[in-house]
Amino acid sequence: MGRAGRAELGRRLVRSGALSSDWLPTFAAVDRAAFLPDRIWPFDVTRQSSGVLVERATAPDAWYAAADGDVPIVTQWDDGRHRGDDPGHVATSSSSMPSVVWSLLRELSVENGMKVLDVGTGTGETAGALTHRLGHARVTTVEVDAAVSAHARERLCRLGLYPEVVVGDAVEGPLPGGPYDRVLATVGVREVPEAWIGQTRDGAIVLAPWGTHFTTGDAMVRLSVKGGVASGSFVGLVEFMKLRSQRAPAARHADCLAAHPFGEAEISRTEVPEAEFTTGRYTLLPFVLGLRVPRCVRAVAERRDGRRPVWFYGLADRSWACVLFEEGAPEAQVWQAGPRRLWEEVAGAYEWWVARGRPEVTRFGLTVGPEGPHAWLEDPAASWPVG
C-alpha cells in the first residue's frame, strides 16, 4: 500500500525541479525508508537540530513521516561509538535530504552504459538509485565504516540491487570497476583525491561537496576531467559530513593563546559590519572567505550581553585574531597576534568579494591538477591556490 507522505514528497521534488523526469521510475522503485535503520534522529526544522530519537518500533507514524520528509536524518553518531537515545557529539553518517540527493543525481547527467563510483555509501540509497538506473555491474560504492557498509549491503540485496560494495577509504585506490565515467561523492572533501581523477576517463564528471577548513560548509563542484586535470564550476552551497581522513585539524584556542599571548596582540578597529560578516553556517560569505584565506579556521561565538567575538586561528603557525562586535557600535575592536595578520587577510578577502559585486557561488570554480587545487572567479586562467 502506498504512503501518502511519500507520494507528496515525490510531487514536491518534481515541482521544485530536484527530481527530473528521467529519474521518476527510480524514485518509484527506490524508497528511502527501505534503507533507514530502525533508530533515527531526523533534523527538526523548528529546533534546528537532530536531537530527538525516533524509533520505528514505538513510533512508526513519526518514523515514516521523517522518512518521507525533505530533511536530513542522522543514522550514526561518533563513528559508531555512541550508545543511548540522546544524540552523540558528532553526526558521522546520515541519510541526506531527498531534494539534495535527487538534485545531485540529476546534476550527474548519467547515460546508459556508464560506470559510476559512489563515494560514501551511507544508508545505500544513492548507490541503490544508481544501480537501478544503470545496472548491477555499473556501480561501485565505497564506505569507510564496515558496520555502515554492511547495513547498506543488506538493504540493497533485499531490494535486488547489487552494486560492487567496498569497505575502505575512498582516498586510496585503485577501486574495482574503473575506469569511471562519473564520480559522485556524498561526503564533504577538503582535497579532491588523486585516486578519483586517476580512475576516470577523459570527459568524466566528478561531482563532490568541496570546501576549506575555514568553515564546515561546502559547495557542490562539478568537475570535468581531461588529461589528468579536473576543472569546473560550483553548483550550489551544501553541507555534508566530512571524509574521515580529511576532517579539520583541531585549532586549539589555548594553544594559540599560549604561543602568542593576548598581551602581545596588535590592537586595531574595523568598520566591517557584523550583520554582513557573521552570516551563518549555510551562507556564501564564509565559503568565499575560505577560498581567499588559506590554512585558517573561523569560530563564531554566541552573542552575550550585546557582544559577539569572532575568532580566527592559523592552522600552520598558531596565529590568531579576534574581532569583538558590539551591538549598536559603529566599529569593532580587533586583536591579532602571531606571524600572520589573520584579520587583515580576512577583511581583505571580504573587501575583495564586495568590490566584485558579491558574486554568487556559481561564478566561482575549482581546478585540481598536479600543481594542487586552484580556485577562480569566472576565468580559470586567473586562478589562485587554495588549501
Side-chain angles (χ1 to χ4, degrees), residues 143-195:
E143 167 64 49
V144 71
D145 190 300
V148 170
S149 180
H151 173 93
R153 183 195 292 271
E154 176 189 346
R155 298 306 173 96
L156 286 161
C157 291
R158 189 178 299 177
L159 294 176
L161 299 168
Y162 302 99
E164 181 77 28
V165 179
V166 178
V167 178
D169 189 342
V171 170
E172 301 172 0
L175 293 166
Y180 304 107
D181 302 285
R182 298 288 187 268
V183 177
L184 173 62
T186 52
V187 58
V189 297
R190 294 298 171 256
E191 298 178 20
V192 177
E194 171 57 34

Side-chain angles (χ1 to χ4, degrees), residues 279-341:
T279 54
R281 293 173 61 186
Y282 308 107
T283 52
L284 175 60
L285 181 58
F287 178 78
V288 174
L289 295 178
L291 292 180
R292 301 291 297 179
V293 184
R295 300 178 302 283
C296 179
V297 172
R298 181 194 70 160
V300 180
E302 295 293 327
R303 177 186 294 280
R304 292 185 179 179
D305 300 324
R307 311 172 86 191
R308 183 201 304 276
V310 180
W311 290 85
F312 305 91
Y313 306 104
L315 292 176
D317 57 15
R318 296 184 179 175
S319 296
W320 62 267
C322 178
V323 185
L324 182 62
F325 293 104
E326 296 191 58
E327 192 171 12
E331 294 182 332
Q333 187 146 322
V334 178
W335 296 263
Q336 49 189 340
R340 296 172 66 181
R341 289 297 175 260

Side-chain angles (χ1 to χ4, degrees), residues 7-238:
E8 175 56 27
L9 173 64
R11 288 191 288 269
R12 288 174 57 192
L13 294 174
V14 169
R15 286 196 300 267
S16 70
L19 178 59
S20 54
S21 59
D22 56 325
W23 283 101
L24 281 172
T26 298
F27 177 82
V30 180
D31 185 351
R32 183 194 200 189
F35 293 90
L36 292 172
D38 292 337
R39 290 163 55 86
I40 59 176
W41 287 263
F43 185 78
D44 187 315
V45 176
T46 302
R47 299 184 183 187
Q48 289 291 296
S49 72
S50 298
V52 178
L53 171 69
V54 177
E55 295 190 83
R56 179 156 56 176
T58 57
D61 290 344
W63 191 93
Y64 278 106
D68 295 336
D70 193 20
V71 295
I73 296 173
V74 175
T75 56
Q76 184 199 69
W77 298 93
D78 304 325
D79 296 336
R81 296 185 300 274
H82 170 264
R83 297 292 182 270
D85 296 346
D86 291 334
H89 295 291
V90 180
T92 51
S93 192
S94 71
S95 171
S96 300
M97 292 175 64
S99 57
V100 172
V101 170
W102 295 99
S103 292
L104 296 183
L105 292 171
R106 181 201 65 215
E107 195 70 41
L108 201 60
S109 303
V110 297
E111 298 177 5
N112 290 339
M114 286 185 171
K115 291 187 174 184
V116 179
L117 173 63
D118 171 55
V119 179
T121 307
T123 66
E125 180 189 4
T126 305
L130 288 165
T131 304
H132 179 271
R133 176 75 184 268
L134 297 173
H136 303 307
R138 296 288 169 179
V139 179
T140 299
T141 183
V142 59
E143 167 64 49
V144 71
D145 190 300
V148 170
S149 180
H151 173 93
R153 183 195 292 271
E154 176 189 346
R155 298 306 173 96
L156 286 161
C157 291
R158 189 178 299 177
L159 294 176
L161 299 168
Y162 302 99
E164 181 77 28
V165 179
V166 178
V167 178
D169 189 342
V171 170
E172 301 172 0
L175 293 166
Y180 304 107
D181 302 285
R182 298 288 187 268
V183 177
L184 173 62
T186 52
V187 58
V189 297
R190 294 298 171 256
E191 298 178 20
V192 177
E194 171 57 34
W196 300 0
I197 300 172
Q199 294 180 89
T200 56
R201 308 178 194 273
D202 266 12
I205 290 173
V206 177
L207 190 63
W210 181 93
T212 66
H213 292 309
F214 187 86
T215 180
T216 58
D218 309 300
M220 189 61 64
V221 66
R222 191 176 194 268
L223 304 171
S224 296
V225 179
K226 184 177 181 180
V229 175
S231 186
S233 298
F234 291 102
V235 176
L237 295 173
V238 291

